[in-house]
């Protein structure tokens, strides 16, 4: 909000008042002189009391101006907050309108979505990507940075932080793998099951379905995906996300631009390498797949457009491609990709506690089952940190 003119200082107002008074006095004195010539019976009028009155009036106006400057700044701050709130409201209405249009034109919405009134409110939904063979990894996470049992429910209720292991089903529904997950869920109650057949080469599909499913259950400000071999400090994650709460379309993570690998048989081979130009080119900037966060509007966008979102070989590249043509703010957050000790340990000692820690060479914590507890002890924020974050 810009003022049209420069603010007038109190001194200028005082000078203006005095000048006006002197000009008026000159005019009045001439009138009195003319009147005294024609009427000697008119009493003489003293100007001293009027001078004092004008001075007091100017002083009063000066105080009003000084007082109003604070009021003006207060009004500016209130207006800024109102604009931010209106921006978020408009963004939400745009997404709801898009959902309604999709429903009318296609006859269905990709995932059955309840009304906003029926959705569970949350600040952030954290989906931990896991597999059937990763029970020991899940246990190492439960024993370190992920609350369990009553604390998990309390975190969701008191802080709006939902944490779930995300997994689909096996190729043979109801088989031994699914029954093992069912038993684990009955014990811990910390799974989000997807209508998805698990498979390493289906990670892009799983990620797409995770966000779509999460949006259909929770009305959250942010949705996070993290791997089950990454250490996370939940308090720091909450504090980091809270800084961007007013942004409607935000994509947060450690942004990178790795090479497009065209050679067959190598890890991270990209069959559609030709789409990215000549051999040796790099991908567009995107968040590395170990952990990233997106705002509600982007998760809703994925849900609405799920059938037509292209899937590349690498899940993190796929997610980045879904946002590359949209008005999305990319945040390169380096605290989400710290190394394991001594890197994250040194940063913690200097007061720069990391959001997430892992080893680049392993795309997660190397030997995470054995090392997760050591990383937690060296780089963890403390068990009480998550409860002390003020949102």
């Amino acid at each position: 909000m810009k003022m049209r003119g420069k603010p007038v200082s109190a001194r200028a107002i005082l000078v203006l008042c005095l000048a006006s008074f002197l000009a008026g006095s000159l005019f009045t004195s001439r009138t009195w002189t003319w009147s005294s010539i024609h009427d000697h019976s008119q009493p003489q009028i003293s100007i001293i009391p009027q001078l004092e009155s004008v001075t007091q009036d100017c002083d009063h106006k000066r105080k009003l101006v000084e007082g109003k400057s604070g009021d003006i700044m207060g009004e500016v701050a209130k207006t800024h907050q109102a604009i931010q709130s209106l921006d978020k409201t408009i963004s939400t209405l745009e997404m709801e309108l898009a959902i309604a249009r999709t429903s009318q034109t296609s006859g269905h919405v990709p995932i059955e979505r309840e009304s906003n009134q029926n959705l569970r409110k949350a600040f952030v939904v954290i989906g931990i990507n896991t597999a059937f063979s990763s029970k020991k990894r899940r246990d190492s996470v439960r024993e370190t940075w992920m609350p369990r049992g009553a604390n998990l429910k309390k975190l969701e209720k008191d802080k709006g932080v939902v944490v779930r292991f995300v997994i689909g089903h096996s190729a043979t529904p109801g088989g031994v793998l699914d029954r093992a997950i069912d038993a684990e869920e009955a014990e811990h109650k910390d799974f989000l099951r997807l209508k998805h057949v698990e498979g390493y080469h289906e990670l892009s599909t799983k990620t797409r379905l995770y966000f779509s499913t999460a949006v259909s259950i929770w009305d959250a400000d942010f949705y996070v995906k993290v791997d089950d071999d990454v250490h996370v400090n939940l308090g720091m994650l909450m504090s980091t996300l809270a800084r961007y709460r007013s942004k409607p379309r935000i994509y947060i993570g450690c942004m990178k631009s790795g090479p497009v690998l065209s050679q067959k048989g190598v890890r991270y081979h990209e069959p559609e390498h030709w789409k990215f130009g000549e051999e040796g080119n790099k991908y567009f900037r995107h968040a590395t797949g170990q952990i990233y966060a997106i705002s509600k509007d982007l998760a809703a966008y994925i849900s609405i457009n799920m059938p037509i979102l292209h899937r590349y070989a690498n899940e993190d590249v796929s997610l980045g491609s879904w946002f590359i043509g949209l008005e999305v703010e990319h945040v390169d957050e380096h605290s989400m990709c710290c190394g394991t000790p001594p890197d994250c340990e040194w940063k913690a000692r200097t007061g720069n506690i990391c959001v997430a820690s892992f080893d680049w060479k392993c795309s997660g914590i190397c030997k995470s089952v054995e090392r997760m507890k050591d990383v937690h002890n060296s780089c963890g924020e403390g068990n009480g940190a998550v409860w002390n974050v003020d949102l």
Side-chain angles (χ1 to χ4, degrees):
M1 177 179 176
K2 293 184 178 179
M3 303 294 290
R4 291 190 174 181
K6 295 183 179 179
V8 181
S9 67
R11 179 179 295 178
I13 292 176
L14 183 59
V15 171
L16 183 60
C17 289
L18 289 173
S20 300
F21 170 75
L22 292 174
S25 298
L26 180 61
F27 174 80
T28 304
S29 64
R30 289 184 177 179
T31 303
W32 290 339
T33 303
W34 178 261
S35 299
S36 62
I37 294 173
H38 290 81
D39 188 2
H40 295 283
S41 64
Q42 291 293 334
Q44 296 296 317
I45 301 175
S46 174
I47 65 172
I48 294 177
Q50 293 187 33
L51 178 61
E52 292 176 349
S53 175
V54 172
T55 303
Q56 291 173 358
D57 185 57
C58 288
D59 186 58
H60 175 66
K61 290 180 179 179
R62 175 180 59 80
K63 290 179 178 179
L64 283 177
V65 170
E66 290 175 349
K68 285 183 178 178
S69 62
D71 294 339
I72 291 171
M73 293 308 296
E75 290 300 320
V76 169
K78 289 179 182 178
T79 303
H80 181 65
Q81 291 174 358
I83 290 172
Q84 286 185 328
S85 176
L86 182 61
D87 187 46
K88 289 190 72 175
T89 301
I90 292 173
S91 183
T92 299
L93 290 173
E94 286 175 345
M95 277 298 169
E96 290 179 354
L97 179 60
I99 291 171
R101 285 174 176 169
T102 302
S103 144
Q104 291 175 355
T105 56
S106 65
H108 77 285
V109 179
I111 195 82
E112 189 175 345
R113 181 178 170 87
E114 303 178 47
S115 66
N116 280 347
Q117 289 75 18
N118 297 328
L119 294 178
R120 305 178 205 171
K121 297 291 183 180
F123 170 65
V124 60
V125 176
I126 303 169
I128 307 173
N129 186 45
T130 192
F132 289 113
S133 60
S134 299
K135 185 180 186 305
K136 290 184 178 180
R137 283 188 178 184
R138 292 191 290 274
D139 286 339
S140 71
V141 169
R142 293 183 182 114
E143 292 167 2
T144 52
W145 61 266
M146 178 182 178
R148 292 180 288 180
N151 283 334
L152 187 65
K153 292 181 179 179
K154 179 177 173 61
L155 185 66
E156 183 172 340
K157 181 180 178 181
D158 294 354
K159 294 296 184 180
V161 178
V162 179
V163 188
R164 296 288 189 275
F165 287 106
V166 180
I167 196 167
H169 297 273
S170 66
T172 54
V176 62
L177 295 177
D178 289 316
R179 291 200 301 270
I181 294 296
D182 291 340
E184 198 175 338
E185 163 64 7
E187 179 182 359
H188 298 285
K189 301 187 184 305
D190 56 7
F191 279 92
L192 174 62
R193 302 296 298 272
L194 304 178
K195 295 179 181 179
H196 166 76
V197 177
E198 286 290 322
Y200 177 78
H201 296 292
E202 297 297 326
L203 287 179
S204 293
T205 301
K206 183 177 180 179
T207 300
R208 193 175 63 176
L209 189 56
Y210 156 61
F211 286 119
S212 186
T213 303
V215 164
S216 72
I217 301 173
W218 292 281
D219 178 17
D221 291 329
F222 298 97
Y223 298 83
V224 172
K225 177 262 175 181
V226 59
D227 290 338
D228 61 5
D229 56 354
V230 172
H231 180 269
V232 177
N233 282 314
L234 290 176
M236 285 304 302
L237 175 62
M238 292 165 62
S239 299
T240 300
L241 295 179
R243 299 202 304 265
Y244 304 100
R245 205 169 189 174
S246 63
K247 304 283 188 177
R249 291 171 295 278
I250 201 85
Y251 174 34
I252 309 170
C254 288
M255 299 295 165
K256 66 175 185 178
S257 181
V260 181
L261 302 179
S262 59
Q263 302 90 343
K264 292 183 179 180
V266 300
R267 192 180 185 187
Y268 306 128
H269 165 62
E270 179 56 74
E272 297 180 272
H273 57 87
W274 58 273
K275 288 185 177 180
F276 298 92
E278 300 299 326
E279 185 174 348
N281 278 359
K282 292 185 176 182
Y283 289 113
F284 40 77
R285 300 290 284 182
H286 62 278
T288 187
Q290 286 84 355
I291 179 173
Y292 48 74
I294 62 174
S295 57
K296 175 168 60 178
D297 284 4
L298 296 185
Y301 172 83
I302 293 173
S303 176
I304 294 165
N305 298 284
M306 192 170 68
I308 59 171
L309 294 178
H310 188 70
R311 293 157 293 166
Y312 289 102
N314 301 303
E315 159 251 340
D316 52 358
V317 171
S318 294
L319 185 80
S321 72
W322 301 337
F323 304 147
I324 198 68
L326 305 181
E327 195 64 42
V328 173
E329 182 176 346
H330 290 55
V331 177
D332 189 9
E333 181 55 62
H334 290 277
S335 69
M336 295 177 76
C337 55
C338 296
T340 55
D343 180 44
C344 60
E345 184 177 19
W346 177 80
K347 289 176 180 176
R349 287 178 179 176
T350 59
N352 298 312
I353 298 175
C354 295
V355 171
S357 301
F358 57 88
D359 299 306
W360 283 104
K361 64 181 180 180
C362 298
S363 297
I365 297 175
C366 298
K367 299 181 180 179
S368 66
V369 173
E370 294 83 7
R371 296 182 59 227
M372 183 68 76
K373 188 170 289 186
D374 291 336
V375 174
H376 184 68
N377 291 337
S378 300
C379 304
E381 61 190 351
N383 294 331
V386 67
W387 306 105
N388 295 327
V389 177
D390 185 9
L391 296 175

